[in-house]
């Protein structure tokens, strides 16, 4: 919204599952729900977005000669048997599970991207994004950082699924944006892992959130969700070497920036309708 008054900015509301014709030089193809709560809500729509949406955007790139960047995901590695994950790893993915619409959808999007590159000479770039957090995220998107932050601000227990020993690595959103721009402007196709190699168990993350927001917050354990990967940690040596990129903002630096944004929004939300 802060760009609405900028004459060089135009917002078009459009579903990428339907074709569209635009005149552009570069396409950053980010369209797809990326949190399990959202992509499991309508799994068929999720896979359509990944497959038909990517086909439409690649077709557009081919017609107008634009450079195309696909935002893929660490989920293409599934529940990895290799740690940390390198781009050469082919993954360990369940093709018939509740997360498959997203995991296999993104894997197919990568396939389409490479086929257009090889077969139609489209200039392409592939980023595999690992967990990212920051201000302006959807408050109830079901991702672990937004869950913990919103719960701590609302004085609710922090929900940990399973034993809390599963790991994730969290990158701050501005680091990711720098990485995507470096990839788009660079000369390498990829794929490139874009993530922060700092690895935290869910219990460690809960402790950092407690330190940042409310040290008296409690933790509530719930049964784990299906196909939840046990470990996630990017090997980013390829991006370091070829894109000259690495994340700069640690979780302890980035989290307070997200927290202040969430506090403002949750407080406003509570004032509007009484305490939740």
């Amino acid at each position: 919204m802060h760009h609405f008054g900028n004459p060089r900015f135009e917002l078009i509301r459009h579903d990428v599952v339907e074709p569209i014709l635009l005149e552009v030089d570069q396409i950053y193809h980010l369209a797809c729900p990326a949190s399990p709560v959202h992509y499991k809500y309508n799994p068929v729509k999720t896979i359509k977005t990944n497959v038909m949406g990517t086909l439409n955007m690649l077709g557009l790139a081919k017609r107008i000669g634009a450079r195309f960047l696909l935002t893929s995901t660490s989920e293409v590695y599934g529940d990895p048997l290799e740690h940390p994950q390198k781009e050469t790893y082919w993954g360990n993915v369940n093709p018939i599970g509740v997360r498959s619409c997203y995991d296999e959808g993104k894997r197919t999007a990568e396939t389409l991207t490479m086929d257009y590159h090889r077969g139609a000479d489209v200039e392409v770039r592939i980023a595999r994004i690992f967990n990212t957090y920051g201000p302006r995220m959807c408050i109830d998107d079901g991702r672990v950082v937004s869950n913990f932050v919103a719960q701590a601000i609302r004085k609710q227990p922090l929900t940990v699924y399973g034993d809390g020993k599963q790991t994730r690595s969290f990158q701050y959103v501005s680091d990711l944006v720098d990485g995507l721009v470096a990839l788009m402007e660079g000369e390498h196709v990829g794929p490139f892992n874009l993530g922060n190699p700092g690895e935290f168990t869910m219990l460690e993350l809960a402790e950092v959130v407690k330190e940042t927001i409310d040290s008296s917050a409690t933790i509530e354990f719930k049964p784990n969700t299906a196909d939840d990967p046990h470990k996630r940690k990017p090997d980013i040596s390829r991006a370091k070497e070829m894109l000259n990129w690495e994340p700069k903002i640690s979780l302890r630096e980035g989290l307070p920036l997200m927290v202040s944004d969430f506090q403002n929004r949750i407080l406003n939300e509570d004032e509007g309708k009484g305490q939740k």
Side-chain angles (χ1 to χ4, degrees):
M1 283 170 74
H2 56 287
H3 284 305
F4 281 177
N6 182 342
R8 296 174 61 180
F9 177 82
E10 182 182 6
L11 176 72
I12 299 168
R13 185 171 179 163
H14 178 78
D15 183 343
V16 291
V17 170
E18 306 298 330
I20 189 169
L21 188 57
L22 301 165
E23 289 289 333
V24 295
D25 301 308
Q26 297 179 336
I27 299 169
Y28 286 83
H29 177 44
L30 294 97
C32 187
S35 79
V37 167
H38 291 156
Y39 65 65
K40 290 179 192 172
Y41 171 73
N42 188 341
V44 174
K45 181 69 182 186
T46 299
I47 203 153
K48 271 180 152 176
T49 301
N50 276 321
V51 177
M52 294 162 69
T54 301
L55 263 173
N56 284 333
M57 292 300 108
L58 282 162
L60 176 63
K62 179 184 171 183
R63 281 199 298 278
I64 62 178
R67 183 176 288 184
F68 174 90
L69 185 151
L70 171 69
T71 55
S72 184
T73 170
S74 57
E75 295 293 331
V76 298
Y77 301 126
D79 190 1
L81 305 173
E82 167 181 308
H83 193 75
Q85 293 83 55
K86 289 190 187 72
E87 290 88 350
T88 47
Y89 180 50
W90 288 356
N92 176 40
V93 179
N94 175 1
I96 55 168
V98 290
R99 304 170 75 111
S100 308
C101 60
Y102 185 67
D103 302 7
E104 297 288 32
K106 286 291 192 183
R107 286 165 69 96
T108 306
E110 288 196 17
T111 305
L112 286 167
T113 301
M114 291 310 297
D115 283 338
Y116 265 78
H117 175 57
R118 286 185 293 251
D121 284 332
V122 176
E123 279 195 44
V124 302
R125 305 286 182 265
I126 298 174
R128 290 178 180 160
I129 298 173
F130 284 67
N131 288 44
T132 305
Y133 68 96
R136 304 215 298 269
M137 280 179 88
C138 195
I139 289 172
D140 295 303
D141 70 359
R143 297 193 212 191
V144 66
V145 185
S146 29
N147 270 4
F148 283 177
V149 169
Q151 286 168 335
I153 292 168
R154 290 170 175 155
K155 307 278 187 211
Q156 297 166 342
L158 310 188
T159 310
V160 170
Y161 293 94
D163 60 6
K165 303 260 172 38
Q166 64 274 46
T167 69
R168 296 291 182 272
S169 43
F170 302 101
Q171 74 178 326
Y172 190 66
V173 61
S174 61
D175 282 334
L176 171 60
V177 171
D178 290 344
L180 291 174
V181 173
L183 172 57
M184 178 69 96
E185 301 298 334
E187 293 309 310
H188 301 284
V189 169
F192 287 97
N193 288 338
L194 296 182
N196 190 320
E199 189 182 14
F200 292 81
T201 68
M202 297 304 94
L203 290 174
E204 287 167 342
L205 174 66
E207 287 307 319
V208 177
V209 170
K210 283 170 64 171
E211 282 168 32
T212 311
I213 303 173
D214 176 6
S215 56
S216 69
T218 58
I219 290 175
E220 179 178 68
F221 290 90
K222 288 197 174 168
N224 207 354
T225 54
D227 295 329
D228 188 43
H230 296 302
K231 283 180 178 285
R232 269 277 177 274
K233 178 183 177 173
D235 181 320
I236 59 165
S237 35
R238 194 171 182 175
K240 273 185 183 171
E241 183 191 335
M242 293 178 164
L243 304 178
N244 195 25
W245 171 87
E246 64 181 308
K248 300 180 177 70
I249 297 169
S250 71
L251 184 63
R252 281 188 164 79
E253 293 170 272
L255 197 63
L257 303 172
M258 174 176 171
V259 167
S260 55
D261 168 67
F262 266 48
Q263 278 169 332
N264 288 337
R265 287 193 288 153
I266 288 172
L267 257 50
N268 290 341
E269 177 186 283
D270 291 343
E271 280 167 15
K273 59 172 188 272
Q275 286 294 322
K276 281 197 99 164

